[in-house]
Amino acid sequence: MIDLVIPVYNDGENLLTLTKLISEKVKNKINLFICYDRDDDDLFNYLSEIKKTNLNVILKKNLLEGPCEAVKTGIFSGNANCIIVYPADDFINVNLIDKMFEKSLEGFDVVVCSRFIKGGSMKGCPILKSFIVRFISYSLFILSSIPVRDASNGLRMFSRKLVEKVGIESKIGFAYSLELLVKAKKFGFNIFEIPAKWEERTLGSSKFKILSWSRQYLKWYFYGLYHSSIFRLK
């Protein structure tokens, strides 16, 4: 069983398209945690159609606000060992859900979906956003012993034992993803990387806020360097 956590904010049309794709293409059983902020979210306009899929749909209202808190609400509402956080507007990586689950069964605690390895790609990304995510990812790979080339992608699998062991301190943005990665390395959990594709969304606006989230990302970036730097004296 997979706990699939999808944070939404007026992503109803995207979510309907995505859930139909998941229902058609994913072989394993899924608990779908749809995590929303407000009772007037437009997901409720599409909910009856979403529930016609073969997914076990579970609605979870965010206890606070924002994507990070929504993800945390979903993660800690489930009990499956395999937790996958998936963007509501990603229609091109549905095939990775089963692959991440397989790696979970093999004993991996983090599966990183990488845009920056062979077979992966990132298209249509705004220049500033592209520079920041590439800088964080490449420099962390080069300067630390964290064995992945895409540290910042929000599409990711985590084991429940990892989440229960290290917790999630992040409160804004998608910093939880980088936080759990660097903590996994520090505490000796198993990490695997698979290629993924990424394209700038065409429906609705991106929820990625570079400047307001930068402090939280930098915190975990330097945490990762400190605890796994290849230059650190033993």
Side-chain angles (χ1 to χ4, degrees):
M1 184 69 73
I2 301 167
D3 283 348
L4 189 70
V5 177
I6 302 181
V8 298
Y9 187 80
N10 290 328
D11 282 304
E13 188 173 351
N14 281 328
L15 190 61
L16 176 59
T17 301
L18 178 62
T19 51
K20 287 180 178 179
L21 287 172
I22 293 173
S23 181
E24 293 169 2
K25 296 186 177 183
V26 176
K27 298 177 181 178
N28 292 285
K29 293 182 179 180
I30 287 178
N31 294 319
L32 175 60
F33 290 90
I34 301 174
C35 306
Y36 64 99
D37 281 359
R38 299 166 57 93
D39 291 329
D40 60 355
D41 194 283
D42 76 350
L43 84 90
F44 293 101
N45 298 331
Y46 300 86
L47 188 57
S48 60
E49 288 297 312
I50 291 171
K51 287 187 173 181
K52 290 179 182 178
T53 64
N54 61 5
L55 309 176
N56 179 28
V57 177
I58 304 166
L59 295 180
K60 285 292 177 179
K61 186 174 182 179
N62 188 356
L63 300 177
L64 298 172
E65 283 190 358
C68 187
E69 296 295 343
V71 166
K72 288 160 66 175
T73 297
I75 286 177
F76 292 108
S77 295
N79 54 28
N81 180 60
C82 177
I83 304 165
I84 297 175
V85 181
Y86 200 98
D89 59 345
D90 186 342
F91 310 136
I92 58 178
N93 290 301
V94 172
N95 64 308
L96 298 184
I97 294 174
D98 282 328
K99 293 180 181 179
M100 285 188 275
F101 181 65
E102 290 170 6
K103 291 302 175 183
S104 173
L105 295 179
E106 292 175 15
F108 290 97
D109 300 288
V110 181
V111 177
V112 173
C113 297
S114 177
R115 299 160 289 187
F116 308 135
I117 61 174
K118 185 177 180 180
S121 63
M122 187 166 72
K123 298 179 180 179
C125 187
I127 294 175
L128 180 58
K129 178 179 176 180
S130 177
F131 172 79
I132 290 175
V133 298
R134 289 178 185 273
F135 174 81
I136 289 174
S137 297
Y138 285 141
S139 60
L140 200 58
F141 176 73
I142 292 170
L143 298 175
S144 79
S145 56
I146 298 173
V148 301
R149 294 179 180 268
D150 191 348
S152 60
N153 196 357
L155 171 54
R156 196 157 290 178
M157 187 283 289
F158 307 105
S159 70
R160 187 156 300 278
K161 64 179 179 179
L162 167 66
V163 172
E164 291 180 348
K165 165 74 175 180
V166 304
I168 302 176
E169 300 171 51
S170 298
K171 298 183 182 301
I172 60 173
F174 302 99
Y176 69 86
S177 188
L178 179 57
E179 174 188 350
L180 288 175
L181 173 63
V182 297
K183 285 183 174 179
K185 177 59 181 177
K186 176 186 177 182
F187 291 102
F189 286 88
N190 298 316
I191 301 170
F192 194 82
E193 189 172 36
I194 59 176
K197 301 180 185 299
W198 185 93
E199 295 179 3
E200 181 70 9
R201 64 188 291 159
T202 57
L203 183 62
S205 59
S206 174
K207 310 299 189 296
F208 193 90
K209 299 177 177 62
I210 295 175
L211 296 179
S212 60
W213 295 351
S214 59
R215 180 179 296 181
Q216 196 103 133
Y217 280 92
L218 287 173
K219 171 184 175 179
W220 297 113
Y221 172 80
F222 287 114
Y223 178 102
L225 287 180
Y226 178 78
H227 288 288
S228 60
S229 172
I230 59 176
F231 303 110
R232 188 181 180 195
L233 297 176
K234 301 294 184 180

